[in-house]
Amino acid sequence: MTSSLNIYTDFFGLTERPFSLVPDPDFLFWSEAHSWAFTMLEYGIVTRAPITLITGEVGAGKTTLVHHLIRTMEQDVRVALIANASGGRGELLRWILQSLGEPAAGTETYVDLFSRFQQLLIDEYAAGGRVVLIFDEAQNLSREALEELRMFTNINANKDELLQIVLVGQPELRDTVNRPDLLQFAQRVSSAFHLAAMDRRTVAAYIAHRMHVAGAQHEVFNAEACDAIFDVTGGVPRLVNQLADLCLVYAFTAEIPHVNALTVEVVLSDGVFFPARRPVIAAVPPTPRTGTA
C-alpha cells in the first residue's frame, strides 16, 4: 500500500517531505537567531572554551544545529554526543566513555572510570587532538552531574584545554546554571545563547525555505496560511513542521495545489494538530553573551 505522504510529495512536485520532525542539517534554515546560536557554538569550539551553553524551547532547532556543528568539526576533534544522560557521577562517566566508543564495565569503580577517562584525554592531546563532549537535553543533568562536569574541565595541560563541554537544553537549564550554588560552574561558561522562537516574518521564510529544499518549484503556502501557522505555533520550528505537514496532507486530499488559511482552519477544526507547548516569549533581537572566566 502506497503511503499518502509519498503521494503528496508527488502531487506537489517534491523530492521528499519538507517538514519531517527528524533533525536534518540539510534543511537547516539560517534565521538570525539560529545564525547567532551557531556562531556561539563555533566561538566556543574555536576558542577552546571550557563550557558552552545553548538553550531554547522544545523544538526550537537546537539538535539540528548540534548535528550541523558535528559535520563541520575538524578531524583532530574527537566528539561524543550524549543525549538524555542521567544518574550520579559514576553513571555520567559511563555515559561519556560509551559515547566515546570506550567500554565501561559495571564492575569498574569510579576511580577506574575516571583514570581511563583522564588517560584518554591525555592520549588525544599527545596525538595533537582534543575531546568535545556535547550533552543534548542537558536540562536533565542533576546539580551533582553539572559539578562533576566542572571538575572535568580542570584536566588540562599547561594553557591548553584537553576537554571542552557543550550543553544544549531547554530554558530551565539556564535557570539551573544561574543558581547561587552553581556559581563556580557558571564562571566556566565562556559562550552562551538562548534560541528564541521565530517571529511572523521568519516563519514565512522558514516554510518557503523548507519547501524549496524539498524541490518545490512554485509557492505552495500563501501569506495568509503562513500567518495562521505562526499564530497557532508561536514560531516554534517543530510545531511549524507538524502543522505545515498536516496542511500538505489536507491540501493533497482535497486536490488543491496550494495551502491557504482555510486549509489551516480545517486542520485545526478537525483536532488532528495538538499544539502542546509552553507559552513562548516573542522573539527579540539576539543578545549573545561571551567572555572568559
Side-chain angles (χ1 to χ4, degrees):
M1 181 177 180
T2 305
S3 167
S4 62
L5 295 178
N6 292 334
I7 295 174
Y8 93 53
T9 57
D10 293 338
F11 180 77
F12 291 106
L14 307 175
T15 57
E16 58 184 312
R17 287 176 62 198
F19 300 107
S20 171
L21 299 184
V22 178
D24 186 347
D26 290 337
F27 279 89
L28 184 57
F29 174 68
W30 292 107
S31 70
E32 185 178 16
H34 286 83
S35 295
W36 271 108
F38 190 74
T39 296
M40 291 300 99
L41 283 169
E42 282 192 313
Y43 173 85
I45 298 300
V46 170
T47 61
R48 299 181 179 242
I51 301 173
T52 298
L53 179 68
I54 302 294
T55 57
E57 290 290 342
V58 176
K62 303 181 298 296
T63 300
T64 303
L65 286 176
V66 165
H67 284 289
H68 183 69
L69 176 69
I70 293 173
R71 274 187 175 187
T72 64
M73 289 283 196
E74 297 179 356
Q75 292 185 347
D76 64 344
V77 180
R78 186 170 177 180
V79 183
L81 177 58
I82 305 150
N84 293 303
S86 60
R89 62 180 191 168
E91 287 79 3
L92 181 64
L93 265 176
R94 287 190 172 85
W95 278 99
I96 292 171
L97 287 170
Q98 289 172 357
S99 297
L100 288 168
E102 300 290 332
T107 55
E108 290 183 280
T109 66
Y110 174 81
V111 174
D112 295 331
L113 295 170
F114 183 82
S115 177
R116 287 208 294 117
F117 177 55
Q118 182 173 247
Q119 190 59 50
L120 182 151
L121 296 179
I122 294 172
D123 291 344
E124 287 290 330
Y125 177 76
R130 54 192 163 121
V131 174
V132 175
L133 305 179
I134 303 176
F135 288 85
D136 200 4
E137 302 297 342
Q139 73 278 352
N140 296 326
L141 293 171
S142 65
R143 180 196 175 282
E144 178 188 24
L146 291 174
E147 273 296 291
E148 189 71 5
L149 292 178
R150 180 183 69 81
M151 296 300 295
F152 291 164
T153 64
N154 289 330
I155 305 172
N156 53 45
N158 297 320
K159 295 182 180 181
D160 294 326
E161 298 288 344
L162 281 67
L163 174 68
Q164 291 178 257
I165 296 170
V166 177
L167 300 179
V168 181
Q170 295 173 27
E172 53 263 36
L173 172 61
R174 182 178 287 254
D175 295 337
T176 299
V177 171
N178 283 329
R179 286 171 42 172
D181 58 341
L182 282 173
L183 177 60
Q184 287 184 299
F185 182 93
Q187 290 175 343
R188 299 291 177 94
V189 177
S190 299
S191 176
F193 188 82
H194 179 72
L195 187 60
M198 298 182 289
D199 61 20
R200 187 179 301 274
R201 177 183 57 83
T202 305
V203 164
Y206 172 85
I207 291 173
H209 166 78
R210 294 191 72 104
M211 290 296 294
H212 174 73
V213 173
Q217 299 299 311
H218 62 279
E219 181 184 85
V220 176
F221 290 80
N222 67 19
E224 291 74 18
C226 293
D227 281 346
I229 290 172
F230 169 78
D231 289 338
V232 174
T233 64
V236 176
R238 185 179 300 166
L239 296 180
V240 172
N241 283 7
Q242 291 174 348
L243 184 51
D245 191 57
L246 288 168
C247 287
L248 288 176
V249 173
Y250 269 60
F252 156 71
T253 303
E255 298 184 350
I256 301 172
H258 301 282
V259 173
N260 54 36
L262 180 59
T263 312
V264 181
E265 182 180 331
V266 173
V267 171
L268 297 175
S269 64
D270 282 354
V272 297
F273 175 67
F274 185 68
R277 61 185 178 92
R278 295 179 292 190
V280 177
I281 300 173
V284 295
T287 54
R289 168 187 163 226
T290 61
T292 56

